[in-house]
Amino acid sequence: AQTVTQSQPEMSVQEAETVTLSCTYDTSESDYYLFWYKQPPSRQMILVIRQEAYKQQNATENRFSVNFQKAAKSFSLKISDSQLGDAAMYFCAYRSSNTGNQFYFGTGTSLTVIP
Amino acid sequence: DAGVIQSPRHEVTEMGQEVTLRCKPISGHNSLFWYRQTMMRGLELLIYFNNNVPIDDSGMPEDRFSAKMPNASFSTLKIQPSEPRDSAVYFCASSLPLTGGHEQYFGPGTRLTVT
């Protein structure tokens, strides 16, 4: 089965600064999808950004962007101009295009934003 | 769209009692997932359905857990008998078909406490 690794259990960033959360995954597939989800204290899981493996261009959504390195199997999330509302748990997820519809989630990174 | 609906939002029960968690996926989504989240184990996939058919239930902890999806708009996760170690937040998520690499949409979760 595919595995997703988030090696940073906790991160902190000063408000208005930039922070990068790391994610690596293990797969033998060439076609798949990657996601970052945010879980604030409310517990609601919210999609932040998605990336198709066949696209070389990195996805961006406003202040959120990814650095997708397919050969290295790396998928980091960069948050620019960090805001207090960005404080949350962030999960990286992998979705196979071959083995059914299953998603694989990392263990999460808890982000603290310091005023 | 109302999003994924879960009920109840909170459940407190005594050990040995039966617990039923309910989920209504987003209309038109043909995949449904049940997850359990704890501090110790993170986010765990319990079972997922495609077109109302269980595809992978290898994450179901033991025979005390069962899940059904009698139709496209309703699913239940039952624990009988419940134990204190079942205390967790249980999430239901739904998704459009795999083609297109669609993301999962999560419900607000049910916080279960077994005393």
Side-chain angles (χ1 to χ4, degrees):
Chain A
Q2 283 74 13
T3 57
V4 178
T5 302
Q6 294 180 249
S7 59
Q8 306 153 316
E10 298 177 345
M11 291 282 285
S12 62
V13 61
Q14 205 77 30
E15 193 175 3
E17 296 296 310
T18 296
V19 65
T20 299
L21 309 183
S22 66
C23 172
T24 59
Y25 54 94
D26 183 25
T27 184
S28 58
E29 299 175 335
S30 59
D31 190 18
Y32 49 87
Y33 305 87
L34 298 165
F35 307 86
W36 278 98
Y37 281 86
K38 168 185 177 182
Q39 187 180 36
S42 67
R43 295 201 316 257
Q44 180 69 54
M45 293 280 278
I46 303 164
L47 178 70
V48 175
I49 199 165
R50 56 173 280 176
Q51 174 80 42
E52 293 88 343
Y54 62 84
K55 289 187 177 179
Q56 292 186 343
Q57 186 174 9
N58 289 325
T60 63
E61 284 289 340
N62 301 314
R63 298 183 294 107
F64 298 87
S65 61
V66 300
N67 183 5
F68 173 48
Q69 302 289 328
K70 191 172 183 178
K73 298 178 184 176
S74 171
F75 182 59
S76 61
L77 174 70
K78 185 171 81 170
I79 306 174
S80 304
D81 185 25
S82 297
Q83 301 176 358
L84 295 178
D86 296 333
M89 183 74 82
Y90 287 82
F91 292 93
C92 178
Y94 171 106
R95 184 177 195 181
S96 170
S97 64
N98 294 327
T99 55
N101 284 347
Q102 189 169 350
F103 286 71
Y104 299 88
F105 282 84
T107 52
T109 296
S110 178
L111 178 66
T112 299
V113 180
I114 303 166
Chain B
D1 198 320
V4 176
I5 299 172
Q6 289 187 249
S7 64
R9 293 293 305 276
H10 303 272
E11 177 78 33
V12 180
T13 190
E14 293 183 347
M15 184 174 68
Q17 296 298 306
E18 177 180 297
V19 175
T20 299
L21 310 182
R22 297 172 176 80
C23 175
K24 176 179 170 56
I26 293 173
S27 177
H29 285 193
N30 75 331
S31 296
L32 183 138
F33 307 78
W34 281 101
Y35 290 91
R36 177 172 69 176
Q37 187 176 36
T38 61
M39 288 292 293
M40 291 296 294
R41 301 174 69 91
L43 193 64
E44 302 174 276
L45 177 66
L46 300 177
I47 186 171
Y48 76 96
F49 296 83
N50 275 356
N51 297 316
N52 312 337
V53 176
I55 301 301
D56 185 353
D57 65 354
S58 59
M60 295 287 263
E62 48 199 272
D63 292 345
R64 297 185 298 107
F65 286 69
S66 62
K68 294 182 179 179
M69 192 165 185
N71 57 62
S73 59
F74 184 65
S75 177
T76 59
L77 177 67
K78 184 176 295 186
I79 308 173
Q80 166 63 22
S82 58
E83 296 181 3
R85 59 187 168 134
D86 301 331
S87 298
V89 179
Y90 290 81
F91 287 100
C92 175
S94 69
S95 169
L96 286 165
L98 173 64
T99 54
H102 296 284
E103 62 269 25
Q104 291 183 333
Y105 292 80
F106 283 78
T110 294
R111 180 177 290 280
L112 174 65
T113 303
V114 183
T115 60

